[in-house]
Amino acid sequence: MGAGKSTLGSEAARLLGRPFVDLDRELEGETGARVQELFAQRGEAAFRELEEELAVEALADRTPAVLALGGGAVTSERVRESLAESALTVWLRVDVGEAWRRAAGPARPLAQDEAAFRALHAEREPLYAAGADAQAEDLDGVVLAAAGVHVESGGLARLGELVPGDGPVALVTDARVAGIHGADAQLALGDRLASVHELPHGEAAKTVAAWAALVQDLTLDRSGTIVALGGGCTTDAAGFAASAYLRGVAWVPVPTTLVGQVDAAIGGKTALNLPAGKNLVGAFHWPVRTILDPALLATLPADERRAGLAEVVKTGLLAGDPLWELPEPEQVRRCAAFKAAVCLRDPFERGGRAILNLGHTFAHALEAAGGPPHGHAVALGLLAALRLSGLDPSAVVETLAPKPARVDAERAWAALLRDKKAEGGRIRLVLLDAPGEPRWPAELPEAEVRRALDGIIAG
Ligand SMILES: NC(=O)c1ccc[n+]([C@@H]2O[C@H](COP(=O)([O-])OP(=O)(O)OC[C@H]3O[C@@H](n4cnc5c(N)ncnc54)[C@H](O)[C@@H]3O)[C@@H](O)[C@H]2O)c1
Ligand SMILES: [Zn+2]
């Protein structure tokens, strides 16, 4: 009561692209009476019976939806059983004093007296704790819970508990990360650790050969879980192994780079590279849980952090919120939530995810021309996209300070055209009508796009 379930529930439903069902409103619709009238006329017991009927019925409906339960619904065992069987249950946590301030008033029969309200809160708490699959305090928390993303600084030490189930775990790291965080991860997995596997670090992890060696090394049965501890290269390769090994086993990415935590480990895409190009083989294989531990980033080299910051700025521009100004753990949480929502709306990349390519058409062109590493190229790409959008690029300039790329402009242009022609002949960009308002596809005259590209190449 007073946690904000109705407000956050409807906002979460909108973000996830699902219908919203508010059980109190359903109940009022069904009976034609307000909750307080039902309480007054029929008594609490009769109200709970009605509530139970409606809750169990709504939970049995298999259409994916966001459902807001009344605060007392979990006192029914049938409701608790239905929740366990067919819902991911998020406990929206709120300070009891704040809840009282919000809930007190004639509309809520059980929020008439503060002492009684506090007693009820304390009495129900164990039921919430036992029934919840995840906890959240705000909208981003709800979205992250829906995506199976758990954010906890220092969470690596609880890896054994945080990996769902109690089956065996194969731990996959890259050779570098193994030496930094591998021992802690092994310790935290304890008895569940079945085997340890090392991939080469960097893109070498994403070769068919490295992947084949990994899957041939695995000894898990279907009850096992692959835990991928490392940057985006490790999670891409280990995630693809999880998608194919025994036709698919559960996996849990534990990203250790900023790129991994705000981007690569979110959204269920896994990939390998082929000689013909990056990410040409892969699968959509959503992890059973994603564990984001911002404390793992303490050991990250500065240039890897800068690479991640470029994706943070991209996300902030898409969200219309200067997320890059936040402390790093909050940057991670907010960016991950933004990407998670986009991907839950479009899990198989049929269209909506395209906005995540802001700045990337230019970045890929620079990279293909032998230009700077991805993060630097993205910073320049964002600059070009903001200029083409007619928006102030100072956030990118001040935060990422990208230097113009030293590449051959003709080669970069040829790469951009090749890429785009392959996608149906036209140059279609992600631009912004305003920060927070991405526009895709934006089609511009070639000459204008060429000028924007030249503007980020050293003359
Ligand atoms: N699947 C997706 O949706 C998606 C999205 C974005 C990017 N990606 C992929 O992610 C990859 C890039 O990921 P990345 O930037 O994380 O690269 P990475 O995995 O190569 O990691 C970068 C380097 O940092 C080291 N490292 C990792 N964690 C560390 C830590 N905590 N301390 C010290 N060193 C550490 C690694 O050993 C590596 O050398 C690319 O292959 C890209 O295609 C995938
Ligand atoms: Zn990127």
Side-chain angles (χ1 to χ4, degrees):
M1 233 187 309
K5 293 183 296 295
S6 299
T7 313
L8 283 193
S10 73
E11 284 170 11
R14 181 180 49 79
L15 274 179
L16 304 179
R18 313 232 163 130
F20 176 58
V21 181
D22 189 335
L23 264 196
D24 278 351
R25 298 293 85 78
E26 295 287 308
L27 225 151
E28 294 182 338
E30 196 88 353
T31 57
R34 313 280 301 166
V35 168
Q36 63 267 43
E37 291 161 6
L38 288 169
F39 253 71
Q41 290 158 11
R42 308 195 195 179
E44 181 172 355
F47 173 85
R48 293 282 168 229
E49 254 172 57
L50 273 172
E51 184 182 47
E52 179 183 275
E53 274 321 305
L54 273 185
V56 170
E57 192 182 308
L59 284 163
D61 185 334
R62 296 288 150 178
T63 318
V66 176
L67 192 76
L69 279 186
V74 293
T75 54
S76 147
E77 196 180 328
R78 272 184 73 209
V79 171
R80 291 201 299 273
E81 277 166 9
S82 296
L83 284 172
E85 195 183 295
S86 47
L88 175 109
T89 308
V90 183
W91 178 11
L92 200 53
R93 304 213 57 176
V94 65
D95 167 71
V96 61
E98 174 63 24
W100 166 251
R101 274 188 293 284
R102 290 191 202 149
R108 287 195 166 92
L110 296 177
Q112 303 301 309
D113 169 75
E114 186 169 353
F117 180 85
R118 283 176 180 271
L120 193 63
H121 195 92
E123 182 191 311
R124 286 176 179 172
E125 204 159 76
L127 287 178
Y128 296 143
D133 298 297
Q135 305 184 4
E137 290 173 358
D138 62 4
L139 182 58
D140 286 316
V142 174
V143 169
L144 289 168
V149 180
H150 177 84
V151 188
E152 179 179 338
S153 259
L156 185 69
R158 298 207 303 122
L159 197 55
E161 299 153 60
L162 290 175
V163 172
D166 50 15
V169 168
L171 177 66
V172 183
T173 60
D174 81 29
R176 254 189 210 164
V177 173
I180 306 175
H181 299 296
D184 289 342
Q186 293 191 31
L187 187 70
L189 286 166
D191 291 348
R192 296 188 64 181
L193 185 64
S195 56
V196 180
H197 312 265
E198 241 176 60
L199 291 165
H201 80 89
E203 296 291 329
K206 291 175 59 170
T207 60
V208 172
W211 177 85
L214 170 61
V215 287
Q216 288 178 57
D217 237 21
L218 292 169
T219 54
L220 295 175
D221 60 22
R222 299 287 300 268
S223 74
T225 302
I226 293 178
V227 170
L229 176 73
C233 292
T234 307
T235 53
D236 266 8
F240 184 55
S243 79
Y245 182 69
L246 303 180
R247 300 194 181 85
V249 293
W251 79 293
V252 175
V254 187
T256 60
T257 60
L258 188 54
V259 166
Q261 295 193 357
V262 302
D263 191 355
I266 309 291
K269 283 208 290 180
T270 69
L272 300 182
N273 303 328
L274 293 181
K278 277 197 57 159
N279 301 326
L280 290 179
V281 172
F284 294 97
H285 188 50
W286 206 284
V288 289
R289 180 163 293 164
T290 302
I291 299 171
L292 304 186
D293 177 355
L296 296 177
L297 304 178
T299 56
L300 202 60
D303 50 340
E304 297 298 344
R305 178 166 272 112
R306 252 193 314 278
L309 195 57
E311 307 294 349
V312 170
V313 172
K314 176 193 82 175
T315 309
L317 290 169
L318 290 170
D321 207 340
L323 302 177
W324 55 87
E325 292 174 0
L326 297 169
E328 196 172 73
E330 190 58 7
Q331 262 175 33
V332 164
R333 195 183 77 93
R334 299 282 309 276
C335 288
F338 183 87
K339 183 170 179 190
V342 171
C343 296
L344 285 173
R345 280 200 300 275
D346 178 22
F348 299 109
E349 201 164 32
R350 304 244 155 83
R353 276 196 202 212
I355 60 162
L356 299 171
N357 282 328
L358 181 68
H360 277 60
T361 298
F362 294 102
H364 292 152
L366 298 178
E367 289 176 83
H374 185 68
H376 184 170
V378 168
L380 288 169
L382 292 174
L383 202 56
L386 284 174
R387 287 174 180 157
L388 279 176
S389 301
L391 294 174
D392 176 12
S394 61
V396 172
V397 175
E398 284 158 23
T399 312
L400 303 171
K403 301 223 174 29
R406 307 206 153 271
V407 297
D408 181 70
E410 293 306 326
R411 242 182 102 193
W413 179 243
L416 193 150
L417 288 180
R418 198 170 50 238
D419 246 35
K420 291 298 128 183
K421 299 274 139 100
E423 281 169 28
R426 293 225 193 83
I427 304 180
R428 303 196 298 174
L429 298 170
V430 184
L431 296 182
L432 297 172
D433 287 331
E437 289 173 33
R439 173 156 47 98
W440 185 86
E443 288 182 27
L444 295 177
E446 281 194 8
E448 226 178 296
V449 180
R450 174 69 200 254
R451 261 201 307 282
L453 179 67
D454 288 343
I456 53 175
I457 294 176

